């Protein structure tokens, strides 16, 4: 069948984030041609925040602690009339966007922020992506600029999936701006932690049907036993079986894990230390799960 996969996934979160990604693009399993991809790459991962103070905390974490170049937005100041604030930071291969507040979201435990949405760029156009979603039996809205996937196995709980189509001219301008930001990002060697780019986005699913829907959404990308692979220079998407849906966190690639660990320790930002990766302490990230891996 067109959407059949032969993929096995690790059952637990810790086991899932420890593997070495190997990405393959397997040949079609039948005489049917491979489907046209829905996406060309990942553009943005959004962070929902609980209140304006948390927005500022996330803003300064990305700007001051990680030294990511800002693409848009500003911090919140008292008296600002905006109902929500938005800012975007260049992370080496995608944008990271704190936004909110979203006071009706279900934040986990003591977290004040959470990774919430993945925004893709269309392979051709939002219209073509909508046709392909229909062919795959995945529901969506009918908006042309921000096409949202509404399938409950994909966009439910703490997770959103969007396709952004701003047109060719605006896309060229955006590419040019990202090239400028990348030059700025590279000039600092990825800031004090030596960041290179986001290596993985950790996505939770709750049942076999949820896993199949993600596989269907991302086809024709194929995976090994641990990952779904990546779109171009975008992060890989790793599926993790869990009792909840949503984005579980991100893994950032760094130039030197030893150097990044030392910097985190000196700044009181070092969280869990594992064999091949370390975590930034969640008190500093407003509850976001961020791993660093060489």
């Amino acid at each position: 069948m067109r959407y059949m996969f032969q993929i096995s996934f690790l059952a637990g979160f810790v086991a899932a984030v420890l593997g070495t990604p190997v990405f393959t693009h397997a040949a079609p399993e039948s005489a049917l041609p491979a489907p046209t991809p829905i996406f060309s790459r990942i553009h943005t991962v959004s962070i929902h925040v609980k209140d304006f103070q948390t927005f500022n905390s996330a803003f300064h974490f990305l700007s001051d602690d990680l030294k990511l170049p800002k693409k848009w937005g500003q911090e919140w100041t008292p008296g600002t009339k905006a109902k929500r604030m938005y800012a975007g930071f260049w992370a080496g291969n995608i944008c990271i966007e704190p936004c909110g507040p979203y006071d009706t979201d279900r934040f986990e435990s003591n977290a004040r922020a959470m990774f919430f949405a993945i925004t893709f760029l269309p392979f051709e156009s939002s219209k073509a992506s909508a046709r392909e979603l229909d062919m795959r039996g995945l529901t969506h809205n009918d908006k042309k600029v921000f096409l949202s996937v509404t399938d409950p196995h994909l966009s439910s709980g703490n997770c959103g999936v969007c396709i952004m189509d701003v047109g060719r001219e605006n896309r060229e301008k955006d590419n040019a701006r990202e090239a400028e930001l990348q030059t700025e990002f590279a000039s600092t060697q990825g800031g004090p932690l030596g960041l290179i780019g986001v290596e993985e986005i950790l996505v939770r699913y709750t049942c076999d049907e949820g896993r199949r829907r993600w596989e269907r959404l991302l086809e024709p990308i194929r995976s090994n036993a641990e990952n779904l692979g990546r779109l171009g220079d975008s992060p890989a998407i790793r599926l993790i079986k869990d009792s909840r849906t949503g984005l579980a966190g991100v893994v950032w690639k760094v130039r030197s894990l030893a150097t990044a660990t030392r910097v985190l320790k000196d700044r009181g930002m070092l969280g869990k230390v594992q064999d091949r990766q370390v975590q930034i302490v969640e008190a500093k990230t407003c509850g976001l799960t961020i791993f660093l891996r060489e």
Side-chain angles (χ1 to χ4, degrees), residues 140-157:
H140 57 85
N141 66 14
D142 58 358
K143 295 183 178 180
K144 294 181 179 180
V145 177
F146 289 98
L147 178 68
S148 294
V149 179
T150 58
D151 186 290
H153 287 285
L154 302 172
S155 293
S156 64

Side-chain angles (χ1 to χ4, degrees), residues 10 40 54 58 62 87 102 104 121 124 155 184 196 219 251 267 269 280 293:
L10 300 181
S40 60
T54 303
L62 297 169
Y102 292 88
T104 60
L121 295 180
E124 296 176 358
S155 293
E184 181 180 349
I196 295 175
E219 196 172 357
V251 179
R267 299 187 178 192
M269 296 170 58
I280 301 178
R293 183 188 299 162

Side-chain angles (χ1 to χ4, degrees), residues 38-165:
I38 295 174
F39 321 110
S40 60
R41 71 177 181 89
I42 298 171
H43 184 272
T44 301
V45 171
S46 297
I47 297 169
H48 278 196
V49 301
K50 193 175 239 183
D51 48 45
F52 286 120
Q53 290 75 19
T54 303
F55 176 87
N56 280 0
S57 294
F59 185 102
H60 287 289
F61 168 69
L62 297 169
S63 176
D64 301 342
D65 293 310
L66 300 189
K67 299 296 184 184
L68 300 183
K70 187 180 72 172
K71 188 175 181 182
W72 69 81
Q74 59 188 12
E75 65 179 300
W76 172 81
T77 56
T80 301
K81 294 182 179 180
K83 292 182 179 180
R84 285 179 182 153
M85 300 294 294
Y86 301 86
F89 294 86
W90 182 245
N93 54 350
I94 61 171
C95 291
I96 303 290
E97 179 196 41
C99 53
Y102 292 88
D103 53 9
T104 60
D105 281 355
R106 294 173 297 183
F107 292 88
E108 298 172 9
S109 187
N110 295 321
R112 296 181 291 132
M114 62 180 168
F115 291 109
F116 184 86
I118 305 176
T119 298
F120 296 87
L121 295 180
F123 184 74
E124 296 176 358
S125 66
S126 59
K127 184 177 180 180
S129 294
R131 286 197 304 267
E132 193 63 35
L133 287 167
D134 289 338
M135 293 178 67
R136 304 183 190 196
L138 301 174
T139 57
H140 57 85
N141 66 14
D142 58 358
K143 295 183 178 180
K144 294 181 179 180
V145 177
F146 289 98
L147 178 68
S148 294
V149 179
T150 58
D151 186 290
H153 287 285
L154 302 172
S155 293
S156 64
N158 293 343
C159 188
V161 178
C162 180
I163 303 163
M164 181 177 68
D165 185 359

Side-chain angles (χ1 to χ4, degrees), residues 104-294:
T104 60
D105 281 355
R106 294 173 297 183
F107 292 88
E108 298 172 9
S109 187
N110 295 321
R112 296 181 291 132
M114 62 180 168
F115 291 109
F116 184 86
I118 305 176
T119 298
F120 296 87
L121 295 180
F123 184 74
E124 296 176 358
S125 66
S126 59
K127 184 177 180 180
S129 294
R131 286 197 304 267
E132 193 63 35
L133 287 167
D134 289 338
M135 293 178 67
R136 304 183 190 196
L138 301 174
T139 57
H140 57 85
N141 66 14
D142 58 358
K143 295 183 178 180
K144 294 181 179 180
V145 177
F146 289 98
L147 178 68
S148 294
V149 179
T150 58
D151 186 290
H153 287 285
L154 302 172
S155 293
S156 64
N158 293 343
C159 188
V161 178
C162 180
I163 303 163
M164 181 177 68
D165 185 359
V166 295
R168 179 175 296 179
E169 183 177 350
N170 287 329
R171 183 68 235 149
E172 290 174 354
K173 292 179 181 178
D174 196 48
N175 287 339
R177 178 60 178 146
E178 287 181 356
E180 293 174 353
L181 293 169
Q182 181 60 23
T183 298
E184 181 180 349
F185 181 76
S187 71
T188 67
Q189 297 293 301
L193 297 180
L195 302 173
I196 295 175
V198 177
E199 182 72 9
E200 295 181 8
I201 300 170
L202 312 176
V203 179
R204 297 182 298 223
Y205 68 93
T206 60
C207 61
D208 290 343
E209 184 59 29
R211 186 194 71 238
R212 285 191 289 269
R213 296 295 177 99
W214 274 102
E215 293 167 352
R216 194 180 303 172
L217 177 74
L218 294 165
E219 196 172 357
I221 297 172
R222 299 300 176 88
S223 77
N224 65 0
E226 298 172 358
N227 295 281
L228 280 179
R230 70 182 74 240
L231 302 163
D233 294 330
S234 294
I237 291 181
R238 186 192 290 270
L239 294 185
I240 303 165
K241 191 167 186 179
D242 196 89
S243 60
R244 302 159 294 176
T245 59
L247 304 188
V250 301
V251 179
W252 232 303
K253 187 174 183 180
V254 296
R255 300 176 187 278
S256 167
L257 186 60
T259 299
T261 301
R262 184 171 61 253
V263 171
L264 290 175
K265 185 175 181 180
D266 290 344
R267 299 187 178 192
M269 296 170 58
L270 184 61
K272 297 177 182 178
V273 178
Q274 300 173 350
D275 183 34
R276 296 175 51 249
Q277 65 184 18
V278 298
Q279 184 178 1
I280 301 178
V281 66
E282 291 185 355
K284 187 63 179 179
T285 66
C286 305
L288 300 171
T289 299
I290 299 176
F291 292 100
L292 304 181
R293 183 188 299 162
E294 189 171 330

